């Protein structure tokens, strides 16, 4: 199982320091929520942790190695779902899952869509689905992926209460099996308070 480390991260945007000297470690079996107000840098931090962006100082490491040295192995172990669903509008829900998991069994894909609350919508083009249903198409990957590390930006956006409960149970199952979940959300997590570790980002003063 993996270990993800943020080491002395510094990030500046528009002459403002979002965060500096930010260090933390996420171990196998941990569930971490990044918290902070609007503009605190939550999404920016997630992008740094996925390797989609580089910090102004410091580094992110996977298994003790900087991401740029283990990029292929890291991407194999990572599932990233950003604030935008990142799905193909002209494909159906099932075709989208088959695109991301071409070696996946169709029955497993159908089961994943059902788990995400999309039973009966498998063959409908994504552009005919609601925003919440489109989000569910992307999140159905949580029932298919073999990735150890899940990084999720606002996964509950446009999802109803039942959907949030399903997703929360799936994340708890993943961490219970030694997986890792890092997420942002404005919604309270309906889990035991000691199940989730929280890392709070606070606005810093403007850079000189």
């Amino acid at each position: 199982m993996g270990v993800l480390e943020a080491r002395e991260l510094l990030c500046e945007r528009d002459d403002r320091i979002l965060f500096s000297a930010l260090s933390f470690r996420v171990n196998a079996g941990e569930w971490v929520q990044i918290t902070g107000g609007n503009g605190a840098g939550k999404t920016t931090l997630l992008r740094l942790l996925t390797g989609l962006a580089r910090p102004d100082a410091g580094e992110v490491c996977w298994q003790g190695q900087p991401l740029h040295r283990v990029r292929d192995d890291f991407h194999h172990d990572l599932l990233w779902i950003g604030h935008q669903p990142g799905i193909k509008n002209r494909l159906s829900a099932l075709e989208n899952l088959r695109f991301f998991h071409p070696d996946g069994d169709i029955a497993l894909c159908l089961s994943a869509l059902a788990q995400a609350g999309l039973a009966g919508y498998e063959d409908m083009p994504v552009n005919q689905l609601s925003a919440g249903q489109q989000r569910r198409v992307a999140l159905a990957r949580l029932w298919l992926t073999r990735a150890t590390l899940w990084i999720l930006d606002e996964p509950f956006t446009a999802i109803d209460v039942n959907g949030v409960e399903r997703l929360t149970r799936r994340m708890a199952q993943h961490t219970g099996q030694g997986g890792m979940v890092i997420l942002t959300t404005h919604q309270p997590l309906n889990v035991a308070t000691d199940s989730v570790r929280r890392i709070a980002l606070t606005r810093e003063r403007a850079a000189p």
Side-chain angles (χ1 to χ4, degrees), residues 21 25-26 35 41 67 75 83 105 109 111 114 136 158:
R25 173 182 174 124
V26 183
T35 67
L67 291 189
H75 286 168
H83 190 61
D105 183 272
C109 291
S111 175
R136 288 170 188 257

Side-chain angles (χ1 to χ4, degrees), residues 31 33 156 160-173 183 185-196 198:
W31 190 350
Q33 179 184 4
F156 304 139
D160 61 20
V161 172
N162 290 335
V164 170
E165 289 181 357
R166 282 196 198 97
L167 293 166
T168 302
R169 286 197 301 269
R170 181 67 184 110
M171 293 177 203
Q173 180 186 39
L183 82 160
T185 178
H186 289 290
Q187 298 190 31
L189 290 170
N190 188 23
V191 295
T193 55
D194 60 351
S195 298
V196 180
R198 290 173 175 82

